[in-house]
PDB file of all heavy atoms in Angstrom:
ATOM      1  N   SER A  74     -10.943 -21.219  -2.432  1.00  0.00           N
ATOM      2  CA  SER A  74      -9.731 -20.997  -1.627  1.00  0.00           C
ATOM      3  C   SER A  74      -9.552 -19.489  -1.499  1.00  0.00           C
ATOM      4  O   SER A  74      -9.410 -18.793  -2.500  1.00  0.00           O
ATOM      5  CB  SER A  74      -8.492 -21.545  -2.329  1.00  0.00           C
ATOM      6  OG  SER A  74      -8.622 -22.909  -2.516  1.00  0.00           O
ATOM      7  N   ILE A  75      -9.538 -19.020  -0.260  1.00  0.00           N
ATOM      8  CA  ILE A  75      -9.494 -17.569  -0.041  1.00  0.00           C
ATOM      9  C   ILE A  75      -8.161 -17.182   0.583  1.00  0.00           C
ATOM     10  O   ILE A  75      -7.707 -17.822   1.533  1.00  0.00           O
ATOM     11  CB  ILE A  75     -10.663 -17.135   0.874  1.00  0.00           C
ATOM     12  CG1 ILE A  75     -11.983 -17.575   0.231  1.00  0.00           C
ATOM     13  CG2 ILE A  75     -10.641 -15.633   1.100  1.00  0.00           C
ATOM     14  CD1 ILE A  75     -13.197 -17.256   1.054  1.00  0.00           C
ATOM     15  N   GLY A  76      -7.574 -16.160   0.041  1.00  0.00           N
ATOM     16  CA  GLY A  76      -6.261 -15.746   0.525  1.00  0.00           C
ATOM     17  C   GLY A  76      -6.292 -14.456   1.325  1.00  0.00           C
ATOM     18  O   GLY A  76      -7.152 -13.593   1.117  1.00  0.00           O
ATOM     19  N   PHE A  77      -5.353 -14.340   2.263  1.00  0.00           N
ATOM     20  CA  PHE A  77      -5.166 -13.107   3.043  1.00  0.00           C
ATOM     21  C   PHE A  77      -3.677 -12.780   3.044  1.00  0.00           C
ATOM     22  O   PHE A  77      -2.845 -13.640   3.332  1.00  0.00           O
ATOM     23  CB  PHE A  77      -5.666 -13.293   4.475  1.00  0.00           C
ATOM     24  CG  PHE A  77      -7.142 -13.574   4.537  1.00  0.00           C
ATOM     25  CD1 PHE A  77      -7.620 -14.882   4.568  1.00  0.00           C
ATOM     26  CD2 PHE A  77      -8.060 -12.528   4.527  1.00  0.00           C
ATOM     27  CE1 PHE A  77      -8.984 -15.147   4.598  1.00  0.00           C
ATOM     28  CE2 PHE A  77      -9.431 -12.788   4.563  1.00  0.00           C
ATOM     29  CZ  PHE A  77      -9.897 -14.093   4.593  1.00  0.00           C
ATOM     30  N   ILE A  78      -3.374 -11.521   2.731  1.00  0.00           N
ATOM     31  CA  ILE A  78      -1.973 -11.123   2.558  1.00  0.00           C
ATOM     32  C   ILE A  78      -1.676  -9.856   3.362  1.00  0.00           C
ATOM     33  O   ILE A  78      -2.491  -8.927   3.382  1.00  0.00           O
ATOM     34  CB  ILE A  78      -1.686 -10.837   1.068  1.00  0.00           C
ATOM     35  CG1 ILE A  78      -1.994 -12.079   0.219  1.00  0.00           C
ATOM     36  CG2 ILE A  78      -0.233 -10.391   0.855  1.00  0.00           C
ATOM     37  CD1 ILE A  78      -2.005 -11.814  -1.281  1.00  0.00           C
ATOM     38  N   ALA A  79      -0.528  -9.834   4.026  1.00  0.00           N
ATOM     39  CA  ALA A  79      -0.076  -8.605   4.691  1.00  0.00           C
ATOM     40  C   ALA A  79       1.429  -8.489   4.493  1.00  0.00           C
ATOM     41  O   ALA A  79       2.096  -9.496   4.224  1.00  0.00           O
ATOM     42  CB  ALA A  79      -0.418  -8.646   6.183  1.00  0.00           C
ATOM     43  N   HIS A  80       1.939  -7.268   4.595  1.00  0.00           N
ATOM     44  CA  HIS A  80       3.376  -7.110   4.382  1.00  0.00           C
ATOM     45  C   HIS A  80       4.133  -6.887   5.680  1.00  0.00           C
ATOM     46  O   HIS A  80       3.612  -6.278   6.619  1.00  0.00           O
ATOM     47  CB  HIS A  80       3.681  -6.015   3.354  1.00  0.00           C
ATOM     48  CG  HIS A  80       3.265  -4.627   3.732  1.00  0.00           C
ATOM     49  ND1 HIS A  80       4.086  -3.775   4.423  1.00  0.00           N
ATOM     50  CD2 HIS A  80       2.121  -3.928   3.496  1.00  0.00           C
ATOM     51  CE1 HIS A  80       3.471  -2.609   4.588  1.00  0.00           C
ATOM     52  NE2 HIS A  80       2.275  -2.675   4.051  1.00  0.00           N
ATOM     53  N   MET A  81       5.362  -7.389   5.703  1.00  0.00           N
ATOM     54  CA  MET A  81       6.151  -7.386   6.935  1.00  0.00           C
ATOM     55  C   MET A  81       6.991  -6.128   7.106  1.00  0.00           C
ATOM     56  O   MET A  81       7.378  -5.781   8.220  1.00  0.00           O
ATOM     57  CB  MET A  81       7.092  -8.609   6.945  1.00  0.00           C
ATOM     58  CG  MET A  81       6.335  -9.924   6.998  1.00  0.00           C
ATOM     59  SD  MET A  81       7.433 -11.362   7.071  1.00  0.00           S
ATOM     60  CE  MET A  81       7.895 -11.525   5.345  1.00  0.00           C
ATOM     61  N   ASP A  82       7.295  -5.446   6.013  1.00  0.00           N
ATOM     62  CA  ASP A  82       8.179  -4.280   6.129  1.00  0.00           C
ATOM     63  C   ASP A  82       7.402  -3.047   6.568  1.00  0.00           C
ATOM     64  O   ASP A  82       6.173  -3.001   6.483  1.00  0.00           O
ATOM     65  CB  ASP A  82       8.874  -3.993   4.792  1.00  0.00           C
ATOM     66  CG  ASP A  82       7.901  -3.588   3.689  1.00  0.00           C
ATOM     67  OD1 ASP A  82       6.833  -4.217   3.570  1.00  0.00           O
ATOM     68  OD2 ASP A  82       8.198  -2.620   2.959  1.00  0.00           O
ATOM     69  N   THR A  83       8.133  -2.053   7.062  1.00  0.00           N
ATOM     70  CA  THR A  83       7.522  -0.749   7.337  1.00  0.00           C
ATOM     71  C   THR A  83       8.222   0.305   6.479  1.00  0.00           C
ATOM     72  O   THR A  83       9.322   0.073   5.973  1.00  0.00           O
ATOM     73  CB  THR A  83       7.625  -0.352   8.831  1.00  0.00           C
ATOM     74  OG1 THR A  83       8.998  -0.292   9.204  1.00  0.00           O
ATOM     75  CG2 THR A  83       6.889  -1.339   9.709  1.00  0.00           C
ATOM     76  N   SER A  84       7.561   1.435   6.346  1.00  0.00           N
ATOM     77  CA  SER A  84       8.013   2.479   5.429  1.00  0.00           C
ATOM     78  C   SER A  84       9.351   3.094   5.832  1.00  0.00           C
ATOM     79  O   SER A  84       9.568   3.426   7.008  1.00  0.00           O
ATOM     80  CB  SER A  84       6.960   3.585   5.382  1.00  0.00           C
ATOM     81  OG  SER A  84       7.494   4.720   4.739  1.00  0.00           O
ATOM     82  N   PRO A  85      10.245   3.282   4.864  1.00  0.00           N
ATOM     83  CA  PRO A  85      11.511   3.967   5.165  1.00  0.00           C
ATOM     84  C   PRO A  85      11.336   5.464   5.436  1.00  0.00           C
ATOM     85  O   PRO A  85      12.292   6.144   5.797  1.00  0.00           O
ATOM     86  CB  PRO A  85      12.359   3.752   3.908  1.00  0.00           C
ATOM     87  CG  PRO A  85      11.483   3.213   2.858  1.00  0.00           C
ATOM     88  CD  PRO A  85      10.177   2.811   3.467  1.00  0.00           C
ATOM     89  N   GLU A  86      10.101   5.972   5.316  1.00  0.00           N
ATOM     90  CA  GLU A  86       9.892   7.405   5.521  1.00  0.00           C
ATOM     91  C   GLU A  86      10.029   7.843   6.983  1.00  0.00           C
ATOM     92  O   GLU A  86      10.158   9.023   7.284  1.00  0.00           O
ATOM     93  CB  GLU A  86       8.517   7.831   4.994  1.00  0.00           C
ATOM     94  CG  GLU A  86       8.481   7.891   3.480  1.00  0.00           C
ATOM     95  CD  GLU A  86       7.086   8.157   2.953  1.00  0.00           C
ATOM     96  OE1 GLU A  86       6.463   9.127   3.408  1.00  0.00           O
ATOM     97  OE2 GLU A  86       6.630   7.376   2.102  1.00  0.00           O
ATOM     98  N   ALA A  87       9.940   6.863   7.905  1.00  0.00           N
ATOM     99  CA  ALA A  87      10.185   7.184   9.319  1.00  0.00           C
ATOM    100  C   ALA A  87      10.864   5.981   9.952  1.00  0.00           C
ATOM    101  O   ALA A  87      10.726   4.858   9.461  1.00  0.00           O
ATOM    102  CB  ALA A  87       8.868   7.487  10.042  1.00  0.00           C
ATOM    103  N   SER A  88      11.564   6.222  11.031  1.00  0.00           N
ATOM    104  CA  SER A  88      12.278   5.121  11.682  1.00  0.00           C
ATOM    105  C   SER A  88      11.309   4.072  12.220  1.00  0.00           C
ATOM    106  O   SER A  88      10.229   4.386  12.716  1.00  0.00           O
ATOM    107  CB  SER A  88      13.117   5.664  12.843  1.00  0.00           C
ATOM    108  OG  SER A  88      13.615   4.587  13.615  1.00  0.00           O
ATOM    109  N   GLY A  89      11.715   2.811  12.115  1.00  0.00           N
ATOM    110  CA  GLY A  89      10.919   1.720  12.685  1.00  0.00           C
ATOM    111  C   GLY A  89      11.754   0.945  13.686  1.00  0.00           C
ATOM    112  O   GLY A  89      11.467  -0.205  14.005  1.00  0.00           O
TER     113      GLY A  89
END
Side-chain angles (χ1 to χ4, degrees):
S74 299
I75 303 178
F77 297 94
I78 302 169
H80 64 89
M81 295 182 280
D82 65 317
T83 60
S84 168
E86 285 173 52
S88 170

